[in-house]
Amino acid sequence: MVYDGILIGVIVGLFRGGFRHGLAQFSTLKLKGGWIFPLLLLGQFLIFYVQEKWTWVASINGYLFGAVYVTGLVFLWMNRKYPGFTLIWIGVFLNFAVMAANGGRMPVSVEASEVLGPYYVDLLQQGGAVSKHFAMDASTRLSFLGDIIPLSSPYPRTQVISIGDVVMNLGIFLFIQHMMVDKNRKKAKAPETRQA
């Protein structure tokens, strides 16, 4: 879901800030510990890939994803001065909280996941759903923070998301708008006052 917030934010930012200015603004961005973010993405992809081959990695993937989340929270907190980063932090924390309360895995509503089709629902109910997800039941803790919100047509990508995902993507959207939209444009276009 994080990619949705980035894509929507960039598209809107291009319309509001223009192609040339909008994208050029990212070259001025200086994040504290900026090297951490690409490492987190790489780490998640590695976990996804390796757990299919090594069962011992699959058995501890909850702890591995937990470590990724904690590191991400530290990174976001270090950069909280940027608009939107506090919301991103809150969204990531909400997802981390529900996963930590459920053994490092994200609970998914079976009813909501019906938008993904019967194959995914079967995997979910049999406990074979991909990676960090599991079917929500009566024993699930903080279930309201799990993946309970179904998205389907007219939304371009069918998926099930959490409240944390919504908050996080709102923060990503606001941050991208802050970066891409020229705050001085109105001042520059304002008519000059004539001097007597």
Side-chain angles (χ1 to χ4, degrees):
M1 180 62 185
V2 64
Y3 306 109
D4 296 36
I6 293 172
L7 183 59
I8 294 170
V10 168
I11 291 172
V12 173
L14 288 174
F15 277 106
R16 294 184 66 212
F19 185 83
R20 186 174 172 185
H21 169 80
L23 293 180
Q25 285 293 91
F26 285 103
S27 66
T28 66
L29 180 62
K30 294 180 181 177
L31 296 172
K32 291 181 182 177
W35 54 272
I36 296 175
F37 184 68
L39 281 183
L40 291 177
L41 290 178
L42 180 61
Q44 286 201 67
F45 283 127
L46 281 175
I47 296 169
F48 279 124
Y49 178 74
V50 173
Q51 71 181 358
E52 301 296 329
K53 301 193 171 194
W54 298 337
T55 53
W56 68 270
V57 173
S59 67
I60 62 167
N61 69 359
Y63 298 104
L64 296 175
F65 281 120
V68 168
Y69 269 84
V70 170
T71 307
L73 286 168
V74 172
F75 166 73
L76 291 168
W77 186 256
M78 288 167 57
N79 293 282
R80 64 191 182 279
K81 69 174 184 177
Y82 289 101
F85 265 58
T86 300
L87 278 177
I88 300 171
W89 189 93
I90 292 171
V92 172
F93 178 78
L94 292 176
N95 283 346
F96 170 72
V98 66
M99 289 178 66
N102 291 281
R105 297 189 299 158
M106 174 63 83
V108 183
S109 164
V110 174
E111 292 77 14
S113 66
E114 288 176 359
V115 298
L116 300 172
Y119 177 73
Y120 184 85
V121 173
D122 287 344
L123 279 178
L124 198 59
Q125 291 177 325
Q126 293 166 14
V130 244
S131 146
K132 57 182 182 180
H133 300 93
F134 75 99
M136 192 180 292
D137 58 29
S139 66
T140 303
R141 298 182 179 93
L142 302 178
S143 57
F144 67 98
L145 292 178
D147 285 345
I148 59 172
I149 305 169
L151 292 179
S152 57
S153 182
Y155 193 80
R157 198 158 69 95
T158 301
Q159 56 188 313
V160 183
I161 63 173
S162 67
I163 294 172
D165 291 332
V166 174
V167 175
M168 177 177 59
N169 277 277
L170 178 59
I172 291 170
F173 179 84
L174 293 175
F175 169 68
I176 292 175
Q177 298 313 296
H178 165 75
M179 288 300 301
M180 296 184 71
V181 179
D182 189 354
K183 300 159 199 65
N184 298 316
R185 177 171 294 179
K186 291 182 181 177
K187 294 179 182 178
K189 289 186 176 180
E192 295 181 1
T193 55
R194 294 182 180 177
Q195 296 182 353

